[in-house]
Amino acid sequence: MHRLRELQRDFSSYVLQESQQVPAGVKSIGLSAEQRLAIYRNNTRLGLTAALRDSYPVVNRLVGDSFFAGLAAAYIKSYPPQSACLSAYGAHFSELISGFAAAQGLVYLADVAKLEWLWHEAYHAADAPILSAAALAQIDPAAYGRLVFRLHPSARFIASDYPIARIWASNQADDAGREYIDLRIGACRLLLYRPGRHVEIDYLDQAEYQFLQLLAVGTALSEAVETLLTDHPDANLPILLQRCLLKGLLTDFYLADA
Amino acid sequence: MTLTKQHARHATVSSAIPARAGIGLRSQHHWDALNNPVRPGWLEVHSENYFSNGGIPLRDLEAIRADYPISLHGVGMSLGSVDPLNWQHLRQLRDLIQRIEPGLVSEHLSWSAFGGRYLNDLLPLPYTDETLAHVAARISQVQDYLRRPLLIENPSSYLEYGFSSYSESEFLNELARRCGCGILLDVNNLYVSCVNHGWQALAYLNDIAADKVGEIHLAGHTVNQFGGQSILIDTHNAPVCEAVWQLYQTAIQRFGCRPTLIEWDADLPPWSVLVAEAATADCYMEQAYAQAA
């Protein structure tokens, strides 16, 4: 497979713009070998840029098509795809944006990108049944402390210094108005999840954000409550749990060993 | 939603793809597939778009499957790569096959990855003994793993290699003979490659082993001016052109009627436009039946 290996090595380097060395053996009748390879280089760039644009429509709206194409080109260079599944491509886009000099003026852009990726993950996450209050009622109250909840597989959390949920909402394709958003309205903590057909974005306060994140990593209820009440003595635990159930955020539970 | 329930729902429509026209389904048309009373005979999706454990697109596809036979068409198996087969990719495809029970499963005669990096394109292979042995071995491995034959599609290409020793049609026939795979003949790709390389389209059609052709693809392409030359690019963003319709008629006269897919991926038109293209293909198939009778 020597010849095939050399060909694919040189061809892929050329397409990813790491080399100007045209692979050996390409016929040049009419168009030169360089011109023919350029078609493939262009197809790959356009295809991957379109895939990123599909996952990051709000970033694209915020910066415009041509700036987005520049971001995409830089991303493809730093993070070439590692699978054939295009919907999995783009997981590190917010990191690329954070380090992209020309985007530094848009201080919130990297966080908006992160929000879009979490939305995308929530959209494609596995389905799960929603835990009913009736199922919880079966548990012996003495065992409550050992409860470990499983959150819906689509649950994602993000905190930002900027009002990224407002920015995201006012840049949806079907939102005709361009709202003026004052960045000084400041930080937000968000939960994304998909209880039914639609991904929901909920604002959380500090206590909720901390508590849900503890539950998300499988912390037993007693320990999560202890941490919560240490940091937020006035947190209303029954209401917090009630809201989790009502949201459809909990899918299952088990009892940890005592 | 449990698997058992999904399988029960599937039982409403057989998995077999009929020798009629179908359309390539993109996510923008999920609603129409589920609700529009105007329907093509079957649907084909890109397998990789449903490689998830759940989520909305997969849930839609399962619901659509209750009403339509579905064909799974892969764009990322990279059968021609020297990289090892991607077993994660194959596992995901196997899981999807179990969920959807497709009538046909197809892939391309091309490569797309080297050194673990995927170029998201169907790149051309040199048609040599070395490539033939390599691709044949991989197709056999995949077919053994999936426990079903694949259809292998001819690519559209913008370059060819001076050291190829087979024509593309000979190469496809030989793959089919060695591995027991079928051929997915994309008539638009055939036309695009023939124009780009000065090959004879009718000779290509005549060379293809008729009994191996399990499906036909039709699509639109773009004529680009490049360095003072015109070159056809397989863009899937336009109606099927007249020359391709003519080749299609010749193809079904020679091969008989085969499941025929209208592929349209970019600048997607409304569902009704796709259904109308499919109806044209159905018309040509009816004429071919009438002539054969």
Side-chain angles (χ1 to χ4, degrees):
Chain A
M1 284 205 304
H2 187 63
R3 186 148 202 188
L4 197 53
R5 180 176 301 282
E6 278 187 358
L7 170 69
Q8 293 182 359
R9 182 197 62 203
D10 295 347
F11 201 124
S12 55
S13 299
Y14 192 91
V15 167
L16 290 171
Q17 307 196 43
E18 296 162 343
S19 148
Q20 297 303 322
Q21 178 69 40
V22 171
V26 174
K27 279 197 195 175
S28 5
I29 303 164
L31 296 177
S32 68
E34 284 83 358
Q35 287 173 317
R36 292 176 182 280
L37 263 298
I39 296 172
Y40 287 101
R41 188 184 264 186
N42 195 44
N43 282 355
T44 290
R45 185 174 54 79
L46 291 179
L48 293 176
T49 301
L52 289 170
R53 197 167 272 144
D54 281 349
S55 297
Y56 293 98
V58 172
V59 172
N60 190 48
R61 270 174 82 102
L62 288 169
V63 302
D65 287 348
S66 93
F67 192 91
F68 191 90
L71 283 173
Y75 187 74
I76 295 162
K77 199 171 165 59
S78 301
Y79 301 92
Q82 295 185 316
S83 92
C85 190
L86 278 182
S87 72
Y89 188 54
H92 304 285
F93 203 45
S94 72
E95 293 158 45
L96 184 280
I97 291 172
S98 301
F100 197 80
Q104 297 308 305
L106 298 175
V107 286
Y108 48 83
L109 193 64
D111 282 357
V112 171
K114 202 179 287 177
L115 173 62
E116 286 204 282
W117 187 255
L118 296 181
W119 191 97
H120 179 76
E121 284 188 337
Y123 187 75
H124 289 279
D127 300 299
I130 286 167
L131 185 61
S132 68
L136 272 181
Q138 315 264 322
I139 304 166
D140 175 4
Y144 280 172
R146 287 160 48 218
L147 269 174
V148 180
F149 288 107
R150 287 199 182 88
L151 265 53
H152 195 278
S154 64
R156 300 289 185 278
F157 299 93
I158 178 172
S160 172
D161 290 338
Y162 307 101
I164 54 173
R166 286 278 296 279
I167 296 171
W168 184 87
S170 68
N171 282 282
Q172 294 304 301
D174 50 3
D175 186 332
R178 288 239 167 185
E179 181 192 2
Y180 174 78
I181 297 170
D182 188 345
L183 288 184
R184 286 170 301 184
I185 57 181
C188 60
R189 292 172 206 81
L190 305 170
L191 161 70
L192 291 84
Y193 70 121
R194 200 197 72 235
R197 257 197 90 79
H198 301 288
V199 176
E200 316 227 345
I201 301 182
D202 279 6
Y203 285 92
L204 304 177
D205 64 25
Q206 263 186 7
E208 271 181 307
Y209 190 75
Q210 181 187 37
F211 183 65
L212 287 180
Q213 284 202 307
L214 285 168
L215 295 190
V217 296
T219 312
L221 189 59
S222 57
E223 197 187 322
V225 168
E226 198 181 315
T227 310
L228 174 75
L229 294 178
T230 310
D231 296 350
H232 306 280
D234 53 349
N236 189 331
L237 185 67
I239 288 202
L240 253 178
L241 276 175
Q242 182 74 8
R243 280 172 62 180
C244 289
L245 272 175
L246 287 176
K247 280 178 206 274
L249 187 57
L250 307 177
T251 69
D252 198 5
F253 64 86
Y254 64 94
L255 293 176
D257 295 335
Chain B
M1 218 187 303
T2 65
L3 265 181
T4 335
K5 261 195 200 156
Q6 288 154 12
H7 282 212
R9 283 193 306 157
H10 287 185
T12 53
V13 169
S14 146
S15 63
I17 307 290
R20 287 187 54 200
I23 66 181
L25 177 68
R26 301 297 162 254
S27 59
Q28 293 91 324
H29 286 147
H30 279 185
W31 187 91
D32 285 289
L34 285 165
N35 300 293
N36 198 316
V38 182
R39 296 187 159 192
W42 55 284
L43 298 171
E44 183 166 282
V45 297
H46 285 172
S47 316
E48 291 81 2
N49 290 347
Y50 300 90
F51 278 7
S52 57
N53 296 322
I56 300 304
L58 191 57
R59 196 190 293 182
D60 284 349
L61 187 62
E62 286 173 335
I64 292 165
R65 173 67 186 89
D67 294 344
Y68 287 95
I70 286 181
S71 158
L72 292 181
H73 185 51
V75 293
M77 203 183 283
S78 200
L79 282 167
S81 279
V82 296
D83 274 7
L85 278 172
N86 183 332
W87 289 98
Q88 190 194 345
H89 185 102
L90 290 172
R91 263 194 304 278
Q92 287 174 303
L93 178 58
R94 189 192 57 187
D95 291 348
L96 186 62
I97 288 171
Q98 277 169 3
R99 266 185 198 259
I100 297 300
E101 299 173 1
L104 294 169
V105 178
S106 52
E107 252 297 343
H108 293 84
L109 175 59
S110 65
W111 67 283
S112 57
F114 180 81
R117 301 190 300 179
Y118 285 75
L119 302 179
N120 178 46
D121 201 357
L122 303 164
L123 304 171
L125 288 162
Y127 298 134
T128 62
D129 285 321
E130 179 197 25
T131 312
L132 185 61
H134 179 61
V135 178
R138 284 163 67 101
I139 291 175
S140 296
Q141 262 186 295
V142 170
Q143 292 184 144
D144 287 349
Y145 179 71
L146 299 177
R147 296 169 186 248
R148 60 187 299 149
L150 294 176
L151 295 177
I152 302 297
E153 178 179 343
N154 57 304
S156 52
S157 57
Y158 315 116
L159 61 77
E160 53 177 340
Y161 302 99
F163 56 100
S164 282
S165 46
Y166 293 82
S167 71
E168 193 166 277
S169 48
E170 286 169 344
F171 196 89
L172 281 162
N173 286 344
E174 189 56 23
L175 274 181
R177 194 186 66 77
R178 289 194 190 187
C179 320
C181 62
I183 296 172
L184 193 179
L185 191 71
D186 187 315
V187 178
N188 179 60
N189 287 355
L190 183 160
Y191 180 75
V192 163
S193 295
C194 285
V195 170
N196 287 344
H197 307 312
W199 303 341
Q200 294 303 312
L202 286 176
Y204 189 130
L205 266 187
N206 272 323
D207 286 347
I208 287 286
D211 59 326
K212 302 292 189 190
V213 177
E215 183 183 339
I216 294 176
H217 273 184
L218 296 171
H221 58 258
T222 307
V223 183
N224 278 30
Q225 292 303 317
F226 203 69
Q229 307 264 336
S230 67
I231 188 153
L232 305 192
I233 309 283
D234 181 32
T235 42
H236 290 193
N237 67 342
V240 178
C241 78
E242 192 46 41
V244 170
W245 279 125
Q246 281 180 17
L247 271 178
Y248 174 64
Q249 289 172 268
T250 309
I252 54 179
Q253 274 160 20
R254 185 169 135 59
F255 305 137
C257 295
R258 293 288 192 273
T260 299
L261 186 82
I262 303 296
E263 276 189 307
W264 201 318
D265 294 311
D267 307 328
L268 209 61
W271 175 259
S272 58
V273 173
L274 297 179
V275 174
E277 286 274 279
T280 305
D282 274 329
C283 251
Y284 286 131
M285 277 193 271
E286 277 159 29
Q287 284 172 17
Y289 274 127
Q291 281 166 10

